[in-house]
Amino acid sequence: MSNVGIVLISHSLKVVEGIQEIIQQAVHNVPIEIAGGTDDNKIGTSVQKIINAIVKAYSEKGVLLFYDLGSAKMNADLAIELYGYENVKVVNAPLLEGAYVAAVESSIGKSLEEIEQSTQTITKDS
Protein backbone atom coordinates (compact mmCIF):
# COMPACT_ATOMS: atom_id res chain seq x y z
CA MET A 1 0.00 0.00 0.00
CA SER A 2 1.38 3.39 -0.94
CA ASN A 3 0.76 6.50 1.12
CA VAL A 4 0.40 10.19 0.44
CA GLY A 5 3.87 11.73 0.34
CA ILE A 6 4.95 14.79 2.28
CA VAL A 7 7.34 17.56 1.18
CA LEU A 8 8.73 20.01 3.73
CA ILE A 9 9.75 23.39 2.28
CA SER A 10 11.72 26.00 4.20
CA HIS A 11 14.08 28.86 3.62
CA SER A 12 16.50 26.92 5.82
CA LEU A 13 17.81 23.42 5.14
CA LYS A 14 18.43 22.95 8.87
CA VAL A 15 14.77 23.68 9.67
CA VAL A 16 13.39 21.01 7.33
CA GLU A 17 16.05 18.48 8.31
CA GLY A 18 14.98 18.88 11.94
CA ILE A 19 11.28 18.61 11.17
CA GLN A 20 11.89 15.54 9.00
CA GLU A 21 13.81 13.94 11.87
CA ILE A 22 10.97 14.63 14.34
CA ILE A 23 8.33 13.15 12.04
CA GLN A 24 10.40 10.11 11.12
CA GLN A 25 10.72 9.25 14.81
CA ALA A 26 6.96 8.53 14.81
CA VAL A 27 6.15 7.60 11.21
CA HIS A 28 8.15 5.13 9.17
CA ASN A 29 6.03 4.22 6.15
CA VAL A 30 5.46 7.64 4.57
CA PRO A 31 7.82 9.31 2.11
CA ILE A 32 8.93 12.59 3.67
CA GLU A 33 11.22 14.67 1.50
CA ILE A 34 12.78 18.07 2.08
CA ALA A 35 13.47 21.19 0.04
CA GLY A 36 15.40 23.65 2.17
CA GLY A 37 17.45 26.62 1.16
CA THR A 38 18.56 27.81 -2.24
CA ASP A 39 20.46 25.80 -4.85
CA ASP A 40 23.72 27.04 -3.29
CA ASN A 41 22.44 26.24 0.24
CA LYS A 42 21.85 29.81 1.34
CA ILE A 43 18.67 31.10 2.99
CA GLY A 44 15.82 31.06 0.50
CA THR A 45 13.94 28.49 -1.55
CA SER A 46 14.52 26.69 -4.81
CA VAL A 47 11.88 25.62 -7.30
CA GLN A 48 14.21 22.86 -8.52
CA LYS A 49 14.71 21.49 -4.99
CA ILE A 50 10.94 21.48 -4.52
CA ILE A 51 10.41 19.63 -7.81
CA ASN A 52 13.09 17.07 -6.89
CA ALA A 53 11.42 16.50 -3.50
CA ILE A 54 8.00 16.06 -5.14
CA VAL A 55 9.43 13.46 -7.51
CA LYS A 56 10.98 11.52 -4.60
CA ALA A 57 7.85 11.69 -2.42
CA TYR A 58 5.36 10.97 -5.20
CA SER A 59 2.97 8.04 -5.16
CA GLU A 60 -0.33 7.50 -6.95
CA LYS A 61 -2.02 8.79 -3.77
CA GLY A 62 -0.37 12.19 -4.24
CA VAL A 63 1.87 14.59 -2.34
CA LEU A 64 1.17 17.37 0.13
CA LEU A 65 3.57 20.31 0.40
CA PHE A 66 4.08 22.23 3.65
CA TYR A 67 6.00 25.52 3.71
CA ASP A 68 7.34 28.09 6.15
CA LEU A 69 6.95 31.57 4.58
CA GLY A 70 5.05 33.24 1.75
CA SER A 71 7.75 33.12 -0.91
CA ALA A 72 8.15 29.38 -0.25
CA LYS A 73 4.45 29.04 -1.12
CA MET A 74 4.99 30.95 -4.37
CA ASN A 75 7.81 28.59 -5.34
CA ALA A 76 5.75 25.56 -4.28
CA ASP A 77 2.88 26.71 -6.50
CA LEU A 78 5.31 27.25 -9.38
CA ALA A 79 6.85 23.80 -8.87
CA ILE A 80 3.40 22.19 -9.01
CA GLU A 81 2.61 24.09 -12.20
CA LEU A 82 5.90 23.01 -13.79
CA TYR A 83 5.62 19.44 -12.46
CA GLY A 84 2.18 18.99 -14.02
CA TYR A 85 0.51 16.57 -11.58
CA GLU A 86 -2.96 17.38 -10.31
CA ASN A 87 -2.70 15.39 -7.06
CA VAL A 88 0.08 17.52 -5.60
CA LYS A 89 -1.19 20.28 -3.31
CA VAL A 90 0.21 23.06 -1.13
CA VAL A 91 -1.27 22.99 2.36
CA ASN A 92 -1.90 26.15 4.36
CA ALA A 93 -1.09 24.79 7.82
CA PRO A 94 1.75 25.24 10.30
CA LEU A 95 4.87 23.55 8.90
CA LEU A 96 5.75 21.28 11.82
CA GLU A 97 2.33 20.60 13.28
CA GLY A 98 0.61 20.26 9.91
CA ALA A 99 3.22 17.98 8.39
CA TYR A 100 3.29 15.81 11.53
CA VAL A 101 -0.49 15.28 11.49
CA ALA A 102 -0.42 14.69 7.74
CA ALA A 103 2.32 12.06 8.05
CA VAL A 104 0.44 10.21 10.80
CA GLU A 105 -2.79 10.26 8.80
CA SER A 106 -0.98 9.19 5.64
CA SER A 107 0.55 6.28 7.54
CA ILE A 108 -2.91 4.91 8.30
CA GLY A 109 -3.98 5.14 4.66
CA LYS A 110 -6.06 8.29 4.53
CA SER A 111 -6.52 10.00 1.17
CA LEU A 112 -4.92 13.27 0.09
CA GLU A 113 -8.26 15.05 0.43
CA GLU A 114 -8.93 13.65 3.92
CA ILE A 115 -5.47 14.64 5.12
CA GLU A 116 -5.69 18.09 3.58
CA GLN A 117 -9.03 18.67 5.30
CA SER A 118 -7.65 17.52 8.68
CA THR A 119 -4.75 19.96 8.48
CA GLN A 120 -6.97 22.99 7.84
CA THR A 121 -7.92 23.37 11.50
CA ILE A 122 -4.49 22.79 13.04
CA THR A 123 -3.08 25.48 15.28
CA LYS A 124 -0.19 25.36 17.69
CA ASP A 125 -2.77 24.81 20.45
CA SER A 126 -4.18 21.67 18.76
Side-chain angles (χ1 to χ4, degrees), residues 94-116:
L95 178 58
L96 171 56
E97 295 87 346
Y100 189 93
V101 168
V104 170
E105 292 201 351
S106 176
S107 75
I108 60 173
K110 290 198 176 181
S111 72
L112 184 127
E113 292 77 17
E114 290 172 316
I115 298 167
E116 184 181 25

Side-chain angles (χ1 to χ4, degrees), residues 6-8 10-11 21 23 25 27 31 33 39 42 49 55 70 73 75-76 78 91 98 103 114 121 126:
I6 308 292
V7 172
L8 308 172
S10 174
H11 285 69
E21 180 181 14
I23 295 170
Q25 288 291 312
V27 178
E33 298 297 331
D39 291 329
K42 296 195 183 254
K49 281 188 173 186
V55 170
K73 181 185 184 311
N75 279 341
L78 180 57
V91 179
E114 290 172 316
T121 59
S126 296

